[in-house]
Structures are given as structure tokens and as C-alpha cells.
Amino acid sequence: MGEAATGERRQRADKQRNRTHILEVAEEFFAEHGITGSMDAIAKRAGVGPGTLYRHFPNREALLAALLQARDEELEARRVAIQRDVTDSRAALTQWLQALGEWVTAFDGLPEPLRAALTEGTSPLALTCQGFITTTEDFLRAAQRDGYANPWVRGRDLFLSTLATAWARGAAMADESTPDALVSIMRTGWEVPATHIPPGSVEDPA
């Protein structure tokens, strides 16, 4: 029994090492080639057979979900920090959308599988997206309550707009000014003009 248990622990350790190594290689590969890079090429670079790769990650979405897990934790930490430190709801929503924009540009081409995940619902990326949509709704509702955001705007639409902006940054016609311009255009869609001062705000002379 002792030898069997030792062998089982060794197998688990080997499996975990293989998984970690594949993720490290995939991180580098997707950073170089974008997420459309070949899964078989990742297996080859990692020095494992395709079967080993697919046993750990049955499809590209599962591999991406695993790669994004650390970034999910970083984004969650940003959320906590914003909610703790930023009292202005307009600034809080702005900072959250900026953090979200950085998250969706982790790899070239990432916005498309995230968009597809919201459509299909069965992708391992879908749960992550839904969680961040809920967070966006929370920040948005606070800004709407304080009169800083238009009442017809939805968190889901802001999330999708962030994906669209990230996608457009990589378009052939985009240049270095495109990202800031797109963010400004999106913001003027959700934000109430600054000349409007909500009742009870610090700027309200009454």
C-alpha cells in the first residue's frame, strides 16, 4: 500500500508539473502568435504529445481559461482596491473599465473567444465573463445613482463595448491614437455631461 500511495503521489506531481509547463509554454506562444496559434505547435514546443496537451486542456477555450486565471485574480484585486479607495462613482467606473480593457488585451485576438463565450454559454470562459459583467453592473449602478451615467446604459453593453474597443485596437486601420479615441467615444456614450451636477454631490452649491 505504501509503494502504491507513493507511486500515486508521484503521478499526481508529474501531472501537475506537465500542466504547469504547458501553461508556461502556452503563455509565451500566445504572446508571440496570438490565440489563433496552433495547439499542436504548443504541444511540440512544450515537448509533450498532443494527447497529453488535450488531456489537460480539451480545447483552446479551456487552455485560455487556465491562462487567464492569474489575470482574473489580478483584476479581482483591482476591483477590491477601486471599491475600497475610490469614493467618486464616476472615477470608480472609469478605473474599472480601464482595468477591464487591460484584461481583455492580455493576448492578441482574445476579445473574439470572450465574445463567443457569452453567446455559447458552454465555454469555460463564460463564467468568468458573466462575473465581470456583474461587477461592471455594480460600478455602473453606483454611477447612475449619483447622476454620472445615463440610466439606459447596461453593464453588459459596457463589457461588450470594452471587447469591441480591444478588438478595434488591432485592426489594420488603427494607429497609436485609436485606443484613447475609442475609449473617449465609449465614455461619452455612458457618461452624463459634466455640466450636470447631481443633487447632493460635493459640487452642488445647494
Side-chain angles (χ1 to χ4, degrees):
M1 291 292 293
E3 291 182 3
T6 300
E8 185 177 343
R9 285 196 298 271
R10 186 179 298 113
Q11 286 181 343
R12 286 199 299 267
D14 289 344
K15 183 177 181 180
Q16 182 58 45
R17 276 195 296 271
N18 279 339
R19 187 179 191 277
T20 300
H21 178 59
I22 291 170
L23 285 173
E24 291 172 349
V25 170
E27 175 95 18
E28 296 175 355
F29 190 85
F30 284 153
E32 294 171 8
H33 303 283
I35 62 162
T36 58
S38 165
M39 293 283 281
D40 287 349
I42 292 173
K44 183 176 181 180
R45 180 182 289 194
V48 300
T52 299
L53 172 63
Y54 287 111
R55 276 195 298 273
H56 286 283
F57 308 104
N59 52 46
R60 187 182 305 275
E61 288 72 23
L63 179 57
L64 281 172
L67 285 173
L68 287 173
Q69 183 175 357
R71 289 178 171 83
D72 294 348
E73 294 169 358
E74 292 172 3
L75 185 55
E76 177 63 13
R78 292 278 295 275
R79 177 194 67 79
V80 171
I82 292 170
Q83 291 183 327
R84 181 190 63 228
D85 301 332
V86 183
T87 57
D88 182 283
S89 58
R90 174 171 50 192
L93 177 56
T94 298
Q95 290 186 29
W96 169 251
L97 292 176
Q98 180 181 3
L100 195 60
E102 293 170 5
W103 177 77
V104 302
T105 54
F107 302 110
D108 184 39
L110 183 58
E112 175 54 30
L114 294 176
R115 182 204 63 78
L118 290 172
T119 302
E120 299 166 2
T122 57
S123 167
L125 295 169
L127 186 60
T128 295
C129 290
Q130 289 295 345
F132 290 147
I133 289 173
T134 299
T135 299
T136 304
E137 285 280 5
D138 292 341
F139 280 109
L140 173 62
R141 279 197 295 268
Q144 289 171 327
R145 181 192 62 228
D146 294 340
Y148 290 133
N150 286 306
W152 48 265
V153 179
R154 302 183 304 172
R156 183 182 183 88
D157 296 331
L158 283 183
F159 182 85
L160 290 172
S161 295
T162 301
L163 292 185
T165 298
W167 174 88
R169 289 177 181 181
M173 294 179 64
D175 57 28
E176 60 183 14
S177 67
T178 298
D180 289 341
L182 292 174
V183 169
S184 295
I185 291 170
M186 183 175 75
R187 180 167 177 166
T188 56
W190 64 257
E191 186 178 31
V192 171
T195 52
H196 171 75
I197 301 176
S201 73
V202 292
E203 300 171 288
D204 187 356

